[in-house]
Amino acid sequence: MPRVARDSAAPPDYPRGVNWLDMIGWTGSALLVWSLLQARILRLRALNLVGCLVLIWYNAALSVWPMVGLNVVLAVINIWYLRKLLATRHDEQTYQVVQVGVRDEFLAHTLRVHARDIAKFNPDFHWDDRTAHGDAFLVLRADEVVGVVLSHAEANHVAQIDLDYVTQRFRDLTPGEFVFRRSTLFTDRGYQQVVSPPGMVAPYYHRLGFRPEGDSYVLDLPAPSDAGR
């Protein structure tokens, strides 16, 4: 019986280059899944948007129009939320600063809930008697606590920040800045300088007018008469 030779060079049944197309589709899907694992809301929206854009291109190349439509809608939703987050990141009407007692039970609860995350970014922070006699501020977005700032008085009218913490969801937006932008919170107490916590991981104070000094950053406060203007 004659043997039929097999042509090992015969082309596959699928179009050439489809493997690259599949890789693009898998990349878009992976970005969507990865975005949902993000605790930071800004990063979640940005990654989700990129994943949607990749899948729009992928599904359009395959003419899968229902999936194109779905990802277009999701992309528009992500763009809307991103614009809202970025437009309000420096808005004092969106973020409110509320002073609380340093022995306030809700403050203590907030510090306990976020203790492990606080230790990652403020490894030198310790809740002790000195801290417990200073000032405590909560940064709120509506009724959600997004940041905590604790300070105490040092010599020469210096306010030493013991803790400047932002919750994971809002860490990319640095809402702690609202405490320092409202300089009267410190000038009304007679402070002339604010010093950032030493050893803080990923500090952002250079964007708020602080100057570097050793392991910390220092903000020179205006005179009380100028701060209220």
Side-chain angles (χ1 to χ4, degrees):
M1 184 175 179
R3 301 177 66 180
V4 179
R6 296 182 61 186
D7 185 3
S8 60
D13 294 331
Y14 48 81
R16 187 177 181 182
V18 74
N19 284 339
W20 286 104
L21 194 59
D22 285 346
M23 289 182 64
I24 292 174
W26 282 113
T27 299
S29 298
L31 283 171
L32 288 185
V33 173
W34 190 27
S35 72
L36 297 177
L37 298 175
Q38 303 303 309
R40 303 188 184 188
I41 188 169
L42 185 64
R43 188 173 300 179
L44 184 154
R45 290 293 178 185
L47 286 173
N48 202 277
L49 174 60
V50 174
C52 289
L53 295 175
V54 172
L55 290 176
I56 289 171
W57 187 92
Y58 170 73
N59 287 290
L62 295 177
S63 299
V64 185
W65 303 116
M67 294 304 296
V68 171
L70 172 63
N71 283 283
V72 166
V73 172
L74 293 177
V76 171
I77 292 173
N78 281 311
I79 291 172
W80 187 85
Y81 275 105
L82 280 169
R83 289 188 62 185
K84 184 177 180 180
L85 286 169
L86 294 174
T88 59
R89 68 186 305 176
H90 303 297
D91 182 13
E92 293 188 0
Q93 300 301 316
T94 302
Y95 297 94
Q96 300 293 321
V97 178
V98 177
Q99 184 174 13
V100 297
V102 289
R103 300 187 183 276
D104 183 87
E105 287 297 324
F106 183 72
L107 171 64
H109 169 74
T110 302
L111 295 176
R112 285 194 301 268
V113 169
H114 299 282
R116 183 173 297 180
D117 196 43
I118 287 173
K120 291 180 183 178
F121 294 90
N122 296 267
D124 295 333
F125 171 70
H126 300 285
W127 185 253
D128 54 26
D129 291 339
R130 181 185 63 180
T131 307
H133 287 85
D135 296 304
F137 305 96
L138 297 179
V139 185
L140 306 177
R141 189 177 190 270
D143 60 352
E144 180 180 2
V145 176
V146 301
V148 179
V149 174
L150 304 177
S151 68
H152 71 272
E154 289 283 359
N156 301 319
H157 307 286
V158 173
Q160 173 64 58
I161 303 300
D162 299 292
L163 175 66
D164 182 2
Y165 172 72
V166 176
T167 59
Q168 284 184 306
R169 274 169 44 82
F170 293 88
R171 189 158 296 145
D172 291 329
L173 302 173
T174 62
E177 69 178 87
F178 292 97
V179 174
F180 308 112
R181 287 176 60 185
R182 289 175 54 184
S183 59
T184 56
L185 291 174
F186 295 100
T187 55
D188 288 350
R189 292 164 174 77
Y191 294 119
Q192 298 176 2
Q193 286 184 332
V194 179
V195 180
S196 71
M200 182 178 176
V201 177
Y204 62 99
Y205 299 102
H206 58 284
R207 289 183 276 169
L208 303 180
F210 284 69
R211 55 181 171 81
E213 188 173 291
D215 294 334
S216 301
Y217 290 81
V218 176
L219 176 66
D220 296 310
L221 298 174
S225 59
D226 296 331
R229 290 178 183 175

